Amino acid sequence: MPESATARVHEQVGLSVELGHETPLELDCGISLGPFTLAYQTYGTLNAERSNAVLLCHALTGDQFVVGPHPVTGKPGWWELMVGPGRPFDTDRYFVICSNALGGCMGTTGPKEINPETGRPWGLDFPVITIRDMVKAQAMLLDHLGIEQLFCISGGSMGGMQALQWVASYPERCYTAVPIACAAKHSAQNIALNEVGRQAIMADPEWREGRYQELGTNPAGGLAVARMAAHISYLSEPALQRKFGRTLQDRSNVTYGFDADFQVESYLRHQGQSFVERFDANSYLYITRAIDYFDLAADYEGVLANAFRGAETRFCVISFTSDWLYPTPENRAIVRALAAVAANVSFVEVVSDKGHDAFLLDEPDMFETLRGFLSGAAARRGLGGP
Amino acid sequence: MNAGSGRTSARPDHRLIAELVEPGSRLLDIGCGDGALLELLAREKSVDGRGIEISQEGVNASVRRGLSVIQGDADTDLADYPEAAFDYVVLSQTLPAIRDPRGVLLELLRIGRIAIVSIPNFGHWRNRLHLLTRGRMPAPRGSGEPWYATPQIRPCTIKDFVMLCRELGIAIDRRTQVDSRGRVRRFSGTGRFANLFGEQAVFVLSARSSRTPASGTKRG
């Protein structure tokens, strides 16, 4: 792997590279960003033909640490079950790359980082970014790594949106694409949910118009509420019922107060609390906004099929029966658009009661589907077995 | 392709379809089941194949084999495909399970240049005898499914199918029968023997230049 002089190993966040020195990143909002930093991790080895690279795109609150231990939390990576030797994204076979999304807070340029023009954290001076901007930044990373074509572009949720955008923007660079549990546009309900999260953050007096870093405050309360609200949308009613029901938390009776009487409350509070230790409130605003703005068809005369016209990419779309954030009909709309241009597409709806988060969990049908799809494509691409 | 191991010989109608298909062509298999035909065609004819299958188990099995298959319904989802997207569109043993066979037949020849349709022949002598002597609906051989549970909601005979094609202005370029022992039989003449002794029939269809104007094949 070619390492240019600008590549460096950050003591905490692994690999990162400064991009956009000569040609800045032209953002959708009209601002030119450059140079900027992209933090990333790689797993496995790039082959001599440079044909076995897999780019995984993380979801809203994910990061480049696909496989753990995570440098901040010490926990396993978000796709530990999917990536590694013998896993569907087999690191004995593929060279797996994941970068922290533009606007993120794990080393990539985002509102938390220092604005070189002012010497202060960007905060709300950071330009509003889009899914397409994130993808453009990733394409610059691939140029830096000397990878012309990806064997596979994949991700779940916001990561799946990026996978779709990748094929639309750079069809010739995507041999296969696996968008999982996602949609070609963000629905009104999902924009509404994101807005609740953003309002929770901005209503926190410690948010200070986004300048909390300089002023030494921390809108952890607002960010935790945002996470709690969002987390409900990642689960499903049956899963919540199965996991918690109406079980009380370490007590035999309700307390007639507002303590966390129920286990489900305690669980959500814990989700909120652990989230604020690793995530930046302004990043949350920016990335949810990027997701809200995503409407792939809008860039193609309102016809989603046009986004994929002429693409030779082989697709595998996966959805989950109990996902109400990006339900199967949204995933099927992608499949229909692909069929309309006679693209090469497989589509599997996995039966699961675990809701949207199923894509991160132990779902054997998802693993088997991916294994079969990737093996078939790898044979066609001339990638040998492990 | 992943070459499977311990493969048993292919179904007779699959074998027959494979003989009809030009190597390297683009093909859509509607109701592809577990992908056995698509795999055979990819392996032996280097066909660029796609599949639609209504059952999720079938789709999962196919995708695991490395085939391009989507979960979908022939009655509703063919409208998504553009005109002449495929060299061949295959409907193997699926026609009796379709709500609107007429509409689907027209769709086949809109999205494909050639349609290959195989049907179980309800007019086979065994079915006729069963109905005559026992007075009960014959179940498809080997399935043992009672009349109220069979997916074959619209069983037809070879003759019924030929008449429908005539009505729709569809040309039957070739017709082949398979008898109860899986042997390929070609009956000449009017088709009376075929309708009596053919257990399955495979038709190769194409659109006649003078198509019935009222057929309204454009959708979506």
Side-chain angles (χ1 to χ4, degrees):
Chain A
M1 186 175 75
E3 289 289 284
S4 84
T6 51
R8 65 197 159 87
V9 178
H10 193 282
E11 55 184 31
Q12 191 197 351
V13 294
L15 301 167
S16 71
V17 59
E18 210 168 76
L19 300 166
H21 279 285
E22 291 100 51
T23 319
L25 177 54
E26 302 296 341
L27 301 172
D28 278 341
C29 67
I31 291 171
S32 302
L33 185 68
F36 64 96
T37 302
L38 215 57
Y40 65 101
Q41 289 296 106
T42 69
Y43 310 88
T45 313
L46 188 61
N47 65 12
E49 298 79 29
R50 299 173 176 273
S51 59
N52 68 334
V54 172
L55 180 65
L56 300 181
C57 307
H58 66 73
L60 164 59
T61 66
D63 54 40
Q64 66 272 39
F65 296 99
V66 178
V67 176
H70 191 274
V72 177
T73 66
K75 288 182 181 166
W78 57 273
W79 239 2
E80 195 110 17
L81 294 171
M82 198 78 112
V83 179
R87 306 273 192 204
F89 290 112
D90 190 342
T91 47
D92 289 337
R93 196 173 193 184
Y94 311 120
F95 178 61
V96 175
I97 309 159
C98 183
S99 61
N100 187 209
L102 194 65
C105 52
M106 282 298 287
T108 288
T109 296
K112 192 181 92 173
E113 303 299 323
I114 301 297
N115 178 354
E117 281 181 25
T118 63
R120 299 182 314 184
W122 281 94
L124 292 200
D125 291 336
F126 193 71
V128 169
I129 42 139
T130 64
I131 298 291
R132 187 160 62 181
D133 295 334
M134 294 179 186
V135 165
K136 273 186 193 167
Q138 289 165 340
M140 291 165 85
L141 172 65
L142 289 200
D143 293 342
H144 161 73
L145 295 174
I147 294 164
E148 188 57 40
Q149 188 193 50
L150 291 166
F151 168 64
C152 182
I153 175 80
S154 180
S157 202
M158 181 183 88
M161 292 175 166
Q162 290 169 75
L164 295 176
Q165 184 67 62
W166 255 98
V167 179
S169 294
Y170 312 102
E172 70 292 342
R173 296 189 83 166
C174 309
Y175 188 73
T176 68
V178 184
I180 303 176
C182 71
K185 64 174 186 306
H186 216 220
S187 68
Q189 177 173 264
N190 289 354
I191 294 170
L193 284 166
N194 276 351
E195 175 63 359
V196 169
R198 284 190 296 265
Q199 287 300 329
I201 290 167
M202 294 189 282
D204 188 325
E206 300 215 0
W207 180 63
R208 300 285 194 94
E209 303 301 313
R211 295 180 60 220
Y212 50 88
Q213 274 172 278
E214 293 167 67
L215 300 170
T217 58
N218 181 10
L223 182 58
V225 171
R227 175 63 167 179
M228 288 165 75
H231 196 80
I232 299 167
S233 72
Y234 304 152
L235 306 174
S236 73
E237 199 276 333
L240 280 172
Q241 192 59 37
R242 174 167 48 75
K243 225 168 159 178
F244 306 108
R246 292 182 52 82
T247 311
L248 299 180
Q249 176 72 20
D250 304 327
R251 64 201 68 184
S252 46
N253 291 301
V254 296
T255 60
Y256 297 97
F258 298 102
D259 201 15
D261 276 355
F262 294 98
Q263 251 186 20
V264 65
E265 293 174 294
S266 171
Y267 167 80
L268 270 187
R269 288 183 188 191
H270 172 75
Q271 289 295 329
Q273 282 315 311
S274 53
F275 182 60
V276 300
E277 288 162 19
R278 67 175 179 88
F279 214 84
D280 175 61
N282 284 337
S283 264
Y284 197 89
L285 301 182
Y286 277 91
I287 296 180
T288 54
R289 205 64 180 145
I291 298 172
D292 288 351
Y293 281 172
F294 187 63
D295 179 4
L296 191 52
D299 297 335
Y300 297 87
E301 304 87 39
V303 181
L304 183 58
N306 289 346
F308 307 120
R309 201 172 291 281
E312 289 176 17
T313 309
R314 306 173 72 86
F315 278 84
C316 181
V317 178
I318 300 176
S319 73
F320 297 91
T321 49
S322 56
D323 183 349
W324 58 276
L325 197 62
Y326 301 107
T328 290
E330 299 261 16
N331 290 271
R332 191 183 283 282
I334 299 164
V335 175
R336 298 179 83 109
L338 288 165
V341 291
N344 199 316
V345 55
S346 293
F347 167 58
V348 170
E349 183 189 32
V350 175
V351 177
S352 166
D353 78 346
K354 293 176 189 147
H356 178 60
D357 262 357
F359 86 90
L360 298 167
L361 303 172
D362 184 17
E363 292 288 354
D365 269 358
M366 171 176 66
F367 301 150
E368 288 311 304
T369 297
L370 257 175
R371 245 186 257 279
F373 173 77
L374 291 174
S375 298
R380 279 189 184 80
R381 185 75 182 85
L383 300 178
Chain B
M1 283 303 306
N2 292 336
S5 54
R7 189 179 309 283
T8 53
S9 59
R11 258 168 56 178
D13 60 320
H14 286 181
R15 178 62 57 198
L16 202 54
I17 291 168
E19 283 166 20
L20 297 168
V21 169
E22 290 289 323
S25 51
R26 285 167 66 86
L27 179 144
L28 176 68
D29 184 4
I30 299 164
C32 66
D34 63 3
L37 174 62
L38 283 172
E39 193 171 66
L40 176 78
L41 293 171
R43 191 174 66 240
E44 295 191 357
K45 291 291 183 106
S46 306
V47 159
D48 178 13
R50 315 287 162 79
I52 300 181
E53 168 58 30
I54 200 161
S55 84
Q56 198 57 59
E57 305 85 67
V59 176
N60 293 11
S62 301
V63 176
R64 271 178 227 155
R65 285 175 153 179
L67 301 166
S68 299
V69 172
I70 64 174
Q71 202 265 330
D73 185 340
D75 270 308
T76 54
D77 296 343
L78 298 183
D80 296 339
Y81 291 88
E83 277 178 39
F86 300 96
D87 298 314
Y88 300 94
V89 180
V90 174
L91 196 65
S92 167
Q93 305 288 320
T94 304
L95 194 75
I98 285 171
R99 264 197 315 280
D100 178 16
R102 206 171 169 277
V104 166
L105 272 177
L106 293 170
E107 279 292 82
L108 298 188
L109 288 170
R110 181 185 66 84
I111 63 182
R113 202 163 45 82
I114 296 167
I116 302 176
V117 178
S118 78
I119 59 165
N121 178 24
F122 203 73
H124 186 258
W125 67 267
R126 207 187 304 272
N127 291 338
R128 299 192 198 193
L129 189 65
H130 187 106
L131 196 54
L132 184 69
T133 58
R134 302 192 201 176
R136 299 197 62 187
M137 284 296 282
R141 285 226 306 162
S143 78
E145 285 164 327
W147 63 272
Y148 51 79
T150 171
Q152 307 205 344
I153 56 170
R154 298 201 193 281
C156 71
T157 69
I158 289 176
K159 192 172 174 183
D160 286 330
F161 186 78
V162 170
M163 303 289 280
L164 178 61
C165 288
R166 198 173 295 167
E167 186 194 319
L168 295 176
I170 291 171
I172 298 174
D173 298 329
R174 189 168 163 169
R175 189 194 73 211
T176 310
Q177 285 73 221
V178 178
D179 71 11
S180 50
R181 293 184 192 166
R183 290 176 306 195
V184 171
R185 301 283 298 269
R186 289 179 215 283
F187 300 98
S188 53
T190 59
R192 282 179 62 191
F193 282 102
N195 201 23
L196 200 54
F197 295 110
E199 194 160 46
Q200 295 172 26
V202 179
F203 295 87
V204 177
L205 310 172
S206 62
R208 278 217 182 96
S209 46
S210 58
R211 202 180 245 189
T212 44
S215 56
T217 59
K218 276 203 183 165
R219 278 203 259 155

